[in-house]
């Protein structure tokens, strides 16, 4: 795959419940190369991991140019399709989101996550429409993953949360989204309802205790993401190793680390 069109088409085709797309989200070039070398068919970034690695908190605090520079570095370092988590769009309004998406495409990525957070659904739909317009202008079928945060943030009443989520998903798809991401849900019954009610590929966020990829596929899920979990686990190793070194003067936390030569070789290509 050499063109954005080829990569975008291939990336979209990976979204199927028959074999859900498993994404171990990366946050820098080294983690992206590791993910690709392990056999992943695509690389997704984690906005939290990217922000942390660049010295910023997650949550629309990172400057757009710094985020796009990182996306470009990752896209240039791997041969598989790359999708970028761009939080709320790194912009104050819909027009700005369109500019961000144009930058994402210029950086070499063929997918984006755009989250609604606590933003009004109508405003988020405008942002998604601007993202689609920017992709159309570039003549690239960008995969726009519309994140619905009703469950993640506990928005609204629990009794009506499913209906609200489905209503948002419908509006976001009408605005130009390709798929829908609903983090914060691991209950198989709720996931099945979401998959039945959303007429597009469904993405869920997973971690320890969540159903397996195969089980999620059987429920209708087309994409499974680890999100910031891999970065969090890596930073946990850094803390454990430091605490062990300072408290006991030992180094057992480093057991199981990637060999220097193996990691270094991944970055020589």
């Amino acid at each position: 795959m050499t063109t954005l069109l080829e990569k975008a088409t291939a990336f979209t085709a990976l979204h199927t419940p028959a074999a859900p797309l498993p994404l171990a989200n990366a946050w820098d070039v080294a983690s992206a190369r590791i993910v690709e070398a392990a056999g992943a068919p695509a690389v997704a970034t984690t906005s939290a991991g990217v922000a942390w690695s660049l010295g910023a908190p997650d949550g629309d605090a990172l400057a757009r140019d710094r985020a796009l520079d990182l996306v470009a570095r990752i896209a240039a370092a791997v041969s598989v399709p790359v999708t970028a988590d761009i939080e709320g769009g790194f912009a104050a309004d819909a027009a700005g989101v369109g500019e961000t998406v144009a930058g994402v495409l210029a950086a070499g990525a063929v997918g984006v996550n755009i989250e609604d957070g606590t933003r009004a659904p109508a405003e988020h739909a405008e942002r998604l429409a601007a993202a689609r317009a920017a992709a159309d202008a570039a003549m690239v079928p960008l995969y726009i993953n519309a994140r619905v945060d009703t469950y993640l943030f506990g928005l609204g009443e629990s009794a009506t949360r499913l209906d609200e989520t489905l209503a948002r998903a419908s509006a976001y798809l009408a605005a130009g989204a390709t798929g829908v991401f609903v983090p914060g849900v691991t209950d198989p019954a709720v996931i099945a309802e979401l998959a039945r009610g959303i007429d597009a590929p469904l993405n869920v966020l997973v971690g320890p205790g969540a159903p397996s990829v195969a089980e999620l596929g059987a429920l209708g899920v087309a994409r499974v993401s680890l999100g910031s979990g891999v970065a969090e686990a890596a930073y946990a190793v850094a803390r454990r190793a430091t605490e062990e070194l300072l408290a006991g003067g030992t180094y057992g936390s480093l057991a199981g680390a990637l060999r220097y030569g193996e990691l270094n070789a991944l970055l020589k290509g």
Side-chain angles (χ1 to χ4, degrees):
M1 293 180 288
T2 58
T3 70
L4 281 182
L5 177 59
E6 290 171 330
K7 287 186 176 181
T9 301
F11 182 64
T12 298
L14 292 172
H15 294 75
T16 169
L21 172 61
L23 294 172
N25 302 67
W27 64 94
D28 60 10
V29 170
S31 59
R33 292 295 294 269
I34 288 169
V35 168
E36 181 185 38
V43 169
T45 67
T46 158
S47 66
V50 167
W52 297 334
S53 72
L54 295 175
D58 190 28
D60 292 312
L62 184 64
R64 175 202 284 167
D65 60 343
R66 299 187 72 202
L68 293 180
D69 176 71
L70 192 281
V71 172
R73 290 174 183 273
I74 288 176
V78 300
S79 61
V80 296
V82 172
T83 181
D85 187 336
I86 58 171
E87 302 190 32
F90 297 123
D93 54 23
V97 173
E99 294 171 359
T100 299
V101 166
V104 167
L105 292 168
V110 295
V112 291
N113 274 20
I114 309 179
E115 61 199 50
D116 60 3
T118 57
R119 192 173 291 111
E123 180 185 350
H124 191 58
E126 291 177 356
R127 288 171 172 252
L128 294 169
R132 177 55 64 201
D136 288 346
M139 294 186 290
V140 177
L142 179 75
Y143 193 102
I144 300 175
N145 205 28
R147 197 178 97 177
V148 182
D149 287 329
T150 45
Y151 283 94
L152 185 65
F153 295 156
L155 302 177
E157 297 297 326
S158 59
T160 59
R161 192 164 294 146
L162 176 61
D163 289 341
E164 173 65 18
T165 302
L166 294 175
R168 292 190 185 203
S170 179
Y172 297 165
L173 292 171
T178 315
V180 176
F181 180 24
V182 186
V185 179
T186 57
D187 183 339
V190 176
I191 291 173
E193 289 289 342
L194 289 169
R196 279 192 290 268
I198 295 174
D199 189 22
L202 173 64
N203 180 194
V204 297
L205 182 68
V206 295
S212 70
V213 172
E215 291 169 334
L216 290 168
L219 294 173
V221 174
R223 174 169 165 174
V224 179
S225 302
L226 294 180
S228 61
V230 182
E232 291 167 358
Y235 291 130
V237 172
R239 182 169 68 181
R240 284 198 301 271
T242 302
E243 290 176 343
E244 181 185 358
L245 177 67
L246 296 176
T250 55
Y251 333 105
S253 297
L254 299 179
L258 285 176
R259 298 189 305 276
Y260 169 88
E262 180 183 0
L263 185 54
N264 206 44
L266 284 176
L267 297 173
K268 287 183 177 180

